Amino acid sequence: MRGELDAFPTGLGDLTKNRIHHCHCKNAVKTAEGKIDWSPVGKGIIDWTAQFRALKQAGYREVVSLETHWHGAATPEESTRISWAGMKQALQDAGAL
């Protein structure tokens, strides 16, 4: 959302792993106009499977929170359920769940 050119994997690689204590899971898409809009986890530009895999390899065992910024489904609850399904799939695909 802040325009990092290479937040992952380079940005994660630049962090001291023992200083990561909380991870916020959300996703976004870039529109044709170049604007960034929220999207459900699993349906955007962030490769959560790769990030969860990298965190697991680094020994991360702390908090991961699902952020519910995307509201594209019929209700807020349904939007959350869709994002949770994407997050859960990414965790499974990464071997982290």
Side-chain angles (χ1 to χ4, degrees):
M1 294 299 284
R2 294 182 171 259
E4 293 95 340
L5 296 176
D6 191 15
F8 179 83
T10 304
L12 180 62
D14 290 344
L15 296 175
T16 305
K17 302 302 180 287
N18 66 353
R19 295 185 64 199
I20 301 172
H21 298 287
H22 196 116
C23 179
H24 291 225
C25 187
K26 52 195 164 209
N27 218 324
V29 293
K30 188 179 276 192
T31 67
E33 298 79 29
K35 182 180 176 230
I36 302 294
D37 286 336
W38 296 117
S39 68
V41 176
K43 304 284 187 195
I45 58 178
I46 300 171
D47 183 351
W48 278 106
T49 299
Q51 290 199 42
F52 287 143
R53 191 175 293 120
L55 288 167
K56 181 180 177 188
Q57 289 172 348
Y60 185 77
R61 298 184 54 84
E62 298 198 42
V63 177
V64 178
S65 296
L66 174 62
E67 294 286 319
T68 56
H69 296 295
W70 176 72
H71 299 277
T75 66
E77 180 180 348
E78 183 60 21
S79 296
T80 299
R81 288 180 184 279
I82 291 168
S83 280
W84 165 239
M87 180 178 167
K88 184 177 177 183
Q89 187 64 56
L91 284 162
Q92 289 172 330
D93 292 348
L97 184 63

